[in-house]
Amino acid sequence: MKRIVITGMGVVSPLGNDLSSFWDALVRGESGVRHLSKLPSTNYKGNMLAAEVDWPDSNVPANLQEESNAVHYALQAAQQALDHAGLAYPVAHKNAYALIVGTTSGNQDILERTLDRYYDPEAEHEFSDEAATLFARMRPIRLSALVAKALNFGGLNMVIPTACAAGNYAIGTAYSMIQAGRTSVVVAGGADAFTRSCYTIFYRLGGMTHQDCRPFDQNRSGMVVGEGAGMLVLEDLEHALARGARIYAEVKGYGLSCDAYHRVAPDPEGEGAARAIRKALYSSNLKPQDIDLISAHGTGTPANDVQEAKALAKIFGENLPTIPVSGLKSMLGHCMGAASALEAIAATMSLNTQISPPTKNTEQVDPDFPYALDVMPGEARQQNFSHVLSNAFGFGGNICSVVLANYSSTLQPEAA
Amino acid sequence: MNNQKIVVIGQGFSAPGGTGMEHFQRAWLEREIVPPSAPRETYDPHGYLGKVGLKFIGKSTVMYCNLAYQCLESAGIAANTYTESQNIGLYDGSELANLEEAWLFDLSAKVEGADYVSPMKAPNTLANASASFMGLKSKMFGANVSVTGGSAGFLQALDIATLHLQFGLVDYAVVAASDVVSRYHQIVFRGMQSASLLDSSSIGVGLTLASEQMAQAIDAQPLCEILALVSAQAIQQETSLDVLDRLLKELSVFSRFEDVFLAGSGIVDFPATNASFPGFEGYNFHYPESQIGHADSASGGIAFLAAMLQNSNLPRAVVAIDQIGYAVAVLIS
C-alpha cells in the first residue's frame, strides 16, 4: 500500500481567499455569514442569509472572464495549493498530474447568466449564436478541464457532482488513483459558486435558517447557503519525500455509501452515514477509539444533525462524548461541493497545529441525541489530535467519510 | 488493492430504435438505421420502475434506471441479492442529464419567483439525480458515484468503478450514461460548434462489472476482461490526435492490439466507420457512432459495446475523446 499525504492547500471561502485568513478566522470563531447580497432578497421571504465569497473582478483571469465563477474559484484554490506545496505551474514538462473537482451545481451560474442576458419570453425558442456559445460554457467537464489546462496537467481530470459530499468524494477518488499508481500528484477538492437555483432549492425545501446556523443545537433551525473552493495537493509519500516537500497530514482512507432513503432527506436513523464511517475506518485500518476529532457534516438542519448524531453514536458508543466534534458550517455556511474540501483543509490544519476551531452559535446540544456531543462551543480547543474523521452527506443520499492523520504520529508505529 | 481480473458480466442499451442488446446488435452488426429523432413513448419500456411517481423523475433518470436494471438482469444479479446490498456500486457518467430540468427550474425561479418553483423538482436539477434515484429505488447501499466527463463520461465512470472493484470497495459495479437530448442540449451543441453532436440521439449504455472471483460466485459469464485503463488531458499545444497517440502508446505497454474503437465529440468530425489517420498506420480504427448515432456522454459506451462484439484474438482499445481535449482509453480482451 502506498501512503498518501497532503502537501498543499488552497482556499476561496466566505472567511477569506487564502489559507491563513481562512484558518485564523475559523480559530477566532468569526462568521462568514451575512445578509444575502448576490440575489435580490426581495424574491425570498424572511431574513435571508448567505455565506458569500468576496470576489472582485480583478481576481478573474482575463482569458476566463466568460467562464463559471466555479472555474475561477477552483483555479485560484488550485494555484494556491500548488504554491503551498512548492510545485511549479503551469507544469513545464510532460506529466500525469491529475485534477479532481467535486461540486454540487457545477457551472450552473452559466445557465443562469445565459437566461439573464438572453432570455426573451416573446421568443423563447430563439437563441442567438452568441447565447449558444455562452450556454455551452456550462458543460460540467469545463470545471476540471479548464483548470487542468491552465495548470498544464496532462493526467486525468474529472468533475464529481455528488452534491454536498462531493469534496470528500474527490479526496477519496484521488487517494485511490494514487494508490493504483495512476499518478503521483492529484489536486483534489471542491468548488461551487453561488447560484439562484441552489439558493432557491434550499429555500423551497425549508432548509434555511433565518437566524444563524447552530449545528447540533436543540434550537437549530437550518443551514446557510455558501460558496467557495477548497483544493488539496495529495501526493504519493515517496514522491513528496523525494522532492523534500513539507507534509501536513496523511490521508488514511475513506468510505462511501448510499442512504437510499429519500430524494431530499437523510435516513433519520443515520444508517447510511454509519455505513460510510465504518467503511472509512476499515479502509484506514483504524478503530473508533483511534479517532480524536470529528469534523461533522453538521449543517444545522433538524434532520441532518439528529441523523449524524445517531450515526456517530452507532460507531463511537459511550465514548462519543469524549471526542471533540467541530461544526464549521456555523461559520462558513454550507459551501456545497466545496464544504467537505474546506473542512478537510481545516482538519489538516488541526492536525498540524493541534488546534480545533470552535462550533459557533451552538449553546445547548440537543438533549434528544443518544449521547451529548462535545461541540467545542465558543472557543477553539488546543489538544493532541492524531486522527480526524470528516463526514460529508449529499442530496440524494451520497455519503463519503474520510480519515486524515497526523503524519508524524502515523510514522512512529511503522518505524517501531 | 487486489490483483483480481475485472470482467464485464452484464450490459444494457437504450436508443430511439429500441432497447436492449438485441437492438444494439441490429444497429451495429446488421446496420439497421434509425433516425435520431424517432419518437419514444417511454425510457423504461420494460417497466422496471412501475408507473407511480414517475412524473417527478427526469427522463435521463428513467433511462439510467432502465439501463441499470438491464445490467443487473443480464448479469444474473437478482433483486434479493442487490436489495440492501452494500457491495454493489452505481456509477453514472452522464454529462448533461439534468440540463432540461435545471433550465426549467431556474427559469421558473427567475420569471415566476422563488415561491412558485416546485420543490419536488429540485433533485432533478442536480447531476447526481440518476444514480442516487436508482440507489433509492433499488435500495442499493453501496458506493453511488456520478461523474461528468463530457464525451469521455461513460469511460470515466467505468474508470472509477474499476478502481473500486480493484480496491474491494464493491463486489459488483453498474456503470451507465444516459443523456436524453432536449432542445437545451441542442443549444449547447450549437455553442460547441459540433455539427455531429447536433445530430445526437438520446442513447444510453450500461455495463455490469465484477472481479473474476465475484463473477464466478454468481455463475456469471464474463463478456470481456478490462486489461488496462488510462486517461489524459491535452497539454500545451497537443491536439486530440496527440492525446490519442499518447493513450494508445500507454495501452500498448500492456498488450499488442490493432483494433481501436473511437468515440466522442473530440473526434466526431472524422469521416466514417473505418477512419484512418496519418501517423496511426498499423491500427484499424472503428467509429461506431457513425452507425449507431452520435451520443455525448454515452459515446464511450457505444464504442465499448462494439468492441466487445468484435471477433478478434487480440485485445481491442476503446477511446473516448471530448472536444475539450480530455480522453479515456480502455484495453479489453
Side-chain angles (χ1 to χ4, degrees), chain A residues 88-108:
Chain A
Y89 61 87
V91 184
H93 48 83
K94 287 190 175 178
N95 68 86
Y97 288 6
L99 182 93
I100 305 177
V101 186
T103 189
T104 295
S105 300
N107 302 328
Q108 168 75 16

Side-chain angles (χ1 to χ4, degrees), chain B residues 205-257:
Chain B
V205 176
L207 293 174
T208 313
L209 281 70
S211 65
E212 189 177 44
Q213 184 184 351
M214 297 313 297
Q216 287 168 351
I218 57 168
D219 290 327
Q221 183 66 37
L223 303 168
C224 76
E225 180 188 344
I226 294 176
L227 299 175
L229 207 153
V230 294
S231 54
Q233 173 68 48
I235 57 174
Q236 290 168 342
Q237 303 304 314
E238 279 188 321
T239 65
S240 290
L241 283 180
D242 294 329
V243 172
L244 176 64
D245 181 49
R246 183 144 62 100
L247 291 182
L248 294 182
K249 282 179 177 152
E250 285 185 35
L251 287 182
S252 67
V253 170
F254 296 94
S255 172
R256 191 171 79 82
F257 58 92

Side-chain angles (χ1 to χ4, degrees), chain A residues 24-83:
Chain A
D24 292 347
L26 281 178
V27 171
R28 287 195 298 264
E30 293 177 6
S31 175
V33 175
R34 309 270 186 276
H35 285 289
L36 173 68
S37 76
K38 293 193 175 181
L39 293 170
S41 58
T42 50
N43 290 358
Y44 302 88
K45 293 181 184 135
N47 178 31
M48 302 317 294
L49 303 172
E52 299 167 346
V53 167
D54 182 14
W55 194 252
D57 290 345
S58 56
N59 280 11
V60 180
N63 62 332
L64 297 174
Q65 298 258 343
E66 284 286 38
E67 301 297 338
S68 165
N69 289 337
V71 173
H72 305 154
Y73 294 173
L75 177 58
Q76 170 70 246
Q79 287 173 329
Q80 285 179 31
L82 289 166
D83 284 336

Side-chain angles (χ1 to χ4, degrees), chain A residues 82 87 96-98 153 178 183-187 233-236 239:
Chain A
L82 289 166
L87 288 166
Y97 288 6
F153 278 14
I178 298 173
T183 179
S184 299
V185 176
V186 184
V187 175
V233 177
L234 272 66
E235 199 167 344
D236 183 342
H239 188 273

Side-chain angles (χ1 to χ4, degrees), chain A residues 127 129 139 157 196 203 260, chain B residues 106 115 139 190 233 322:
Chain A
F127 275 88
D129 288 346
R139 295 178 70 226
N157 70 78
R196 179 168 53 215
Y203 171 75
Chain B
D106 190 56
D115 287 311
K139 289 286 170 205
R190 183 151 61 92
Q233 173 68 48
D322 187 84

